[in-house]
Amino acid sequence: MTNDVPVIAIDGPAASGKGTIAIALAEDLGWHRLDSGLLYRTVAYVIDQWNLDYSDPETIQDHIRNFLSFSVGENPPNADSHKQIEFPKVSVHVQIQRLTGSKVWYNAQEITPVLRSEHISRLSSYAARIPTLRNELIPIQRELRQPPGLVAEGRDMGTVLFPTADLKIFLTADVAVRAQRRFDQYAKDRKQTYEEILEDLRERDRQDMHRGIAPLKKAEDAIEIDCTYLSVKCVVEKVLQAVPAALKVA
Ligand code: DC
């Protein structure tokens, strides 16, 4: 990781459109993209698989540190490399892809779609409140600051992970509008009513904003964009307009 590599940090609540904006920016700039929420989802998945108790963060921490190995790379894991990891170590491989987003393998099995489920969404909010676990994930995230640049999205990108980011965006939107967008997004495969999605988002907002460590908040030097009444295209244009000045290029 080098501090010379430019970073755009995008933070905001669940379903505010950070992912879509980050993909559009990474595509436009040809940069890497960090979907930090996926790491918390991965850890929540592992805690669930191992049946660990959220009221016992020390045991969770021990397991994550001793039995889980993260690797990050461009390519899917090779099955042989997994065999070399001694039982009971479980390996998680995060594949970084600029445009389509990251994919995650748990041992040699891809688990990305499962990580997007409502069950894991809810659990990841609990996992994200464990301080030692957040600290474990810091170096993995910073490792992704690679040339030519990084678009990083999450809750604490501008405040904790990349405080010297060249450009910081704080994306907000009314919770009812976010719930409606999520409801429309899952039109084909909908498992929750609008009201259930709304209640879930309210609960996750509460947890993300009021936790003791790295709470969701706007960095002092972030540009706040309220996209309640803006289309994604309009937000991407707004952010792209801010990029040249932030990167000091003509
Ligand atoms: O962005 P997301 O919905 O995929 O994030 C999943 C959970 O992880 C969410 O409840 C908040 C948490 N999270 C976090 O605490 N810090 C981050 N940088 C990213 C996500």
Side-chain angles (χ1 to χ4, degrees):
M1 191 275 281
T2 154
N3 281 328
D4 299 338
V5 175
V7 176
I8 297 178
I10 306 176
D11 290 304
S16 58
K18 301 181 302 290
T20 314
I21 308 293
I23 290 171
L25 279 174
E27 183 172 3
D28 193 86
L29 297 164
W31 287 9
H32 300 284
R33 179 168 85 88
L34 163 62
D35 172 359
S36 58
L38 203 60
L39 295 179
Y40 290 95
R41 288 170 183 272
T42 304
V43 173
Y45 173 87
V46 172
I47 294 172
D48 198 38
Q49 289 283 311
W50 288 346
N51 247 326
L52 300 180
D53 180 355
Y54 277 96
S55 63
D56 181 8
E58 278 82 25
T59 304
I60 292 181
Q61 169 63 19
D62 271 3
H63 276 68
I64 298 292
R65 185 167 284 169
N66 297 325
F67 305 127
L68 191 68
S69 82
F70 264 98
S71 66
V72 174
E74 291 274 346
N75 300 315
N78 158 341
D80 288 342
S81 66
H82 287 270
K83 289 188 194 135
Q84 292 161 14
I85 294 167
E86 274 176 43
F87 182 81
K89 203 141 188 150
V90 164
S91 104
V92 169
H93 179 85
V94 182
Q95 182 192 2
I96 305 305
Q97 290 180 324
R98 277 186 194 159
L99 306 184
T100 50
S102 300
K103 290 183 180 170
V104 180
W105 276 264
Y106 178 83
N107 287 337
Q109 194 188 350
E110 206 211 317
I111 54 163
T112 326
V114 186
L115 297 181
R116 299 281 174 211
S117 68
E118 286 308 322
H119 176 60
I120 297 296
S121 296
R122 222 165 293 136
L123 293 183
S124 62
S125 216
Y126 291 108
R129 287 192 303 197
I130 304 175
T132 43
L133 206 157
R134 296 197 74 88
N135 291 336
E136 290 287 309
L137 293 179
I138 287 179
I140 297 159
Q141 295 173 82
R142 291 198 175 137
E143 202 185 305
L144 293 170
R145 189 173 190 172
Q146 300 285 347
L150 176 69
V151 180
E153 50 127 332
R155 306 293 189 286
D156 58 348
M157 299 295 101
T159 49
V160 177
L161 265 295
F162 306 105
T164 59
D166 301 75
L167 178 62
K168 296 181 188 177
I169 304 292
F170 192 73
L171 208 57
T172 61
D174 186 86
V175 68
V177 170
R178 286 188 275 133
Q180 187 64 50
R181 287 180 189 160
R182 214 19 65 108
F183 185 68
D184 295 341
Q185 186 185 349
Y186 294 130
K188 277 200 207 115
D189 184 27
R190 203 176 273 150
K191 294 195 177 65
Q192 287 184 301
T193 62
Y194 167 80
E195 284 72 25
E196 284 167 342
I197 295 176
L198 181 64
E199 195 35 52
D200 258 13
L201 284 181
R202 284 202 173 116
E203 180 54 28
R204 285 177 66 199
D205 283 357
R206 256 193 303 274
Q207 289 188 10
D208 292 347
M209 284 191 272
H210 299 294
R211 65 183 176 221
I213 180 160
L216 168 65
K217 68 168 190 226
K218 177 181 169 292
E220 273 177 20
D221 49 351
I223 300 171
E224 181 162 349
I225 301 177
D226 180 343
C227 60
T228 305
Y229 302 108
L230 297 177
S231 67
V232 167
K233 190 164 171 270
C234 190
V235 177
V236 172
E237 276 167 16
K238 252 176 185 288
V239 177
L240 279 175
Q241 276 166 11
V243 169
L247 300 182
K248 298 171 194 68
V249 293

